[in-house]
């Protein structure tokens, strides 16, 4: 279906239509599913929203790893709710992408065949309970930094999904920071675990914003179309500026000897992540890539009978063979 859709709209990109479309974007109008849009706009949205949806679903795995081992019943209930929220975010985003003419099954197949990505961050393991704190604080913190501007993205269904997701992400970040506060103010061993989690998650969190602006393939066109509102480096800088005082409050040390306040720019100078590690993770060679993909493939295969059953039910219902509920 996706391939057909791409073919049927490819000839539509004439200069007048493109100019009128850009004028709508520049005027701050939202683009809705039935509106005309350039093929590149549609494809970019499918890529970005689909990648984002996959990230929410794959993102359940590192945290799900700790549900059975959360230190208290209360922490377990909170973590369970958070992981369920991520599934919900995935669903809102898949639904937003479906309005562009691609099905959830097609997007899942693209992910499983390696034709679509998910966020690099979820290829790192969660080895201690403090990692769950670090994910909430840093990973959800980075996600919020990226997603708050996306509430103003030009595509209506994406923008509306982001508004709802951001509300929940704020709660997620608070729960992560709360775990970090407990750990950082706990025993020496707990504080050591909190510092260790920060050491391991700091640079992978900086990588979440994508390559630096000079190396970002899609940023300039995506920003012109207001699919992206801010550049990768702008968001990374804001994230560092927001997070350093929080680390100070926790009495934890950001693992960057070059980190220092720069009065002239009104922000921190900081070290770039190791981009060769980032590219290796994107190519599938991070610490957990193969585990994550195996888990998604198994879930897809194990869930086949449910999808088949639901489809059979829907077909029977459409044919009037099942009483309406
Ligand atoms: N990981 O030209 P660029 C979450 C790829 S999860 C993997 O700058 P763009 C959460 C990029 O796709 C957060 N790939 O690209 C869930 C492109 O490759 P392709 C998810 C990355 O799209 C559970 C290439 O590198 N959030 O919230 O303009 C628990 C060149 O990059 C990454 C989103 O997805 C990466 N980190 O900018 C807790 C937000 N970075 O596609 C939290 C929406 C770059 O050409 N997405 N690449 O093969 C975006 O804002 C943008 O897509 C990005 C990248 C900033 C990620």
């Amino acid at each position: 279906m996706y391939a057909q859709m791409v073919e049927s709209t490819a000839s539509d990109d004439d200069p007048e239509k493109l100019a009128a479309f850009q004028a709508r974007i520049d005027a701050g109008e939202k683009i809705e599913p039935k509106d005309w849009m350039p093929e590149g706009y549609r494809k970019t949205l499918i890529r970005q929203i689909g990648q984002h949806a996959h990230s929410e679903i794959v993102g359940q795995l590192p945290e799900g790893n700790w549900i059975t081992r959360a230190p208290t019943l209360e922490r377990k209930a909170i973590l369970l709710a958070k992981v369920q929220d991520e599934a919900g975010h995935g669903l809102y985003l898949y639904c937003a992408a479906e309005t562009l003419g691609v099905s959830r099954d097609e997007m899942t197949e693209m992910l499983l065949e390696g034709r679509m990505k998910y966020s690099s961050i979820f290829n790192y393991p969660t080895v201690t309970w403090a990692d769950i704190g670090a994910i909430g604080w840093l990973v959800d913190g980075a996600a919020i930094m990226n997603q708050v501007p996306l509430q103003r993205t030009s595509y209506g269904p994406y923008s509306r999904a982001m508004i709802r997701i951001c509300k929940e992400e704020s709660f997620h970040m608070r729960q992560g920071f709360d775990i970090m506060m407990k750990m950082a103010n706990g025993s020496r061993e707990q504080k050591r675990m909190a510092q260790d989690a920060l050491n391991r998650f700091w640079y992978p969190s900086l990588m979440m914003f994508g390559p630096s602006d000079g190396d970002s393939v899609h940023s300039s066109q995506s920003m012109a179309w207001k699919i992206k509102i801010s550049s990768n480096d702008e968001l990374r800088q804001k994230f560092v500026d927001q997070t350093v005082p929080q680390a100070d409050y926790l009495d934890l040390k950001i693992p960057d000897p070059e980190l220092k306040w720069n009065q002239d720019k009104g922000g921190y100078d900081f070290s770039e992540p190791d981009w060769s590690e980032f590219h290796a993770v994107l190519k599938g060679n991070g610490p957990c890539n193969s585990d994550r993909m195996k888990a998604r493939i198994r879930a897809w295969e194990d869930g086949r009978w449910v999808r088949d059953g639901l489809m059979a039910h829907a077909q029977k219902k459409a044919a009037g063979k099942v009483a309406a509920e």
Side-chain angles (χ1 to χ4, degrees):
M1 194 231 297
Y2 180 43
Q4 274 171 6
M5 180 269 298
V6 168
E7 215 173 295
S8 67
T9 54
S11 59
D12 286 358
D13 290 359
D14 75 63
E16 259 179 48
K17 276 182 164 176
L18 283 172
F21 178 80
Q22 190 62 49
R24 289 190 64 196
I25 302 261
D26 295 343
E29 279 182 44
K30 291 277 179 256
I31 307 301
E32 296 298 337
K34 290 188 175 157
D35 296 347
W36 182 85
M37 61 186 80
E39 188 46 31
Y41 179 84
R42 186 192 302 270
K43 276 164 97 171
T44 302
L45 279 169
I46 290 174
R47 183 183 59 77
Q48 181 167 317
I49 303 173
Q51 176 173 321
H52 193 165
H54 297 322
S55 304
E56 299 284 356
I57 301 300
V58 178
Q60 294 182 287
L61 296 169
E63 292 186 289
N65 181 34
W66 278 90
I67 291 173
T68 55
R69 293 177 288 159
T72 66
L73 184 59
E74 192 190 5
R75 291 288 185 198
K76 188 200 282 274
I78 294 169
L79 183 58
L80 194 58
K82 178 184 192 289
V83 172
Q84 282 179 332
D85 284 353
E86 309 301 359
H89 297 174
L91 294 187
Y92 310 152
L93 288 161
Y94 284 128
C95 288
E98 281 183 317
T99 64
L100 293 153
V102 61
S103 75
R104 195 178 310 180
D105 285 7
E106 283 170 304
M107 285 183 277
T108 305
E109 278 157 14
M110 286 195 262
L111 171 73
L112 301 185
E113 289 164 10
R115 289 184 288 127
M116 275 184 103
K117 294 187 165 82
Y118 58 90
S119 180
S120 51
I121 190 71
F122 301 117
N123 293 306
Y124 292 85
T126 44
V127 294
T128 74
W129 172 250
D131 292 4
I132 299 304
I135 288 188
W137 172 35
L138 300 174
V139 175
D140 287 277
I144 293 171
M145 195 53 83
N146 176 289
Q147 290 164 197
V148 164
L150 288 177
Q151 295 177 108
R152 291 182 284 117
T153 192
S154 59
Y155 189 56
Y158 189 23
S159 151
R160 291 187 285 274
M162 291 320 307
I163 291 169
R164 191 156 169 191
I165 290 174
C166 281
K167 291 203 168 93
E168 293 176 357
E169 294 291 15
S170 306
F171 162 74
H172 293 174
M173 188 188 163
R174 292 296 295 269
Q175 71 82 39
F177 196 72
D178 188 61
I179 294 175
M180 293 307 275
M181 281 204 295
K182 263 273 179 319
M183 303 287 287
N185 292 308
S187 65
R188 268 164 72 128
E189 180 56 11
Q190 283 173 311
K191 184 156 188 192
R192 191 198 61 74
M193 285 164 68
Q195 181 63 56
D196 173 59
L198 170 57
N199 293 349
R200 283 179 291 105
F201 275 92
W202 176 250
Y203 287 104
S205 299
L206 297 187
M207 292 176 197
M208 284 178 72
F209 297 97
S212 40
D213 292 351
D215 294 325
S216 169
V217 192
H218 303 291
S219 281
S220 63
Q221 180 60 74
S222 290
M223 287 175 75
W225 276 331
K226 295 191 186 160
I227 289 176
K228 270 168 95 160
I229 305 296
S230 317
S231 81
N232 300 356
D233 284 336
E234 279 164 13
L235 292 172
R236 195 171 5 254
Q237 179 71 54
K238 276 178 132 179
F239 173 74
V240 172
D241 294 345
Q242 170 184 281
T243 310
V244 173
Q246 295 169 347
D248 288 345
Y249 182 80
L250 292 170
D251 193 26
L252 297 177
K253 196 168 162 25
I254 304 270
D256 179 358
E258 305 302 322
L259 186 79
K260 62 172 185 307
W261 179 253
N262 180 332
Q263 190 63 41
D264 294 340
K265 77 172 179 189
Y268 286 89
D269 288 334
F270 61 95
S271 303
E272 297 264 310
D274 175 354
W275 291 116
S276 63
E277 177 182 319
F278 172 75
H279 290 296
V281 172
L282 258 54
K283 281 205 185 96
N285 300 322
C288 297
N289 293 62
S290 91
D291 285 354
R292 303 296 184 236
M293 288 312 289
K294 270 187 212 145
R296 291 307 304 135
I297 290 167
R298 195 175 59 238
W300 184 242
E301 285 169 359
D302 289 353
R304 188 180 306 279
W305 68 271
V306 180
R307 296 192 301 277
D308 289 350
L310 284 172
M311 282 306 289
H313 179 76
Q315 277 161 5
K316 272 192 172 177
K317 203 167 160 188
K321 291 184 186 156
V322 176
E325 284 121 41

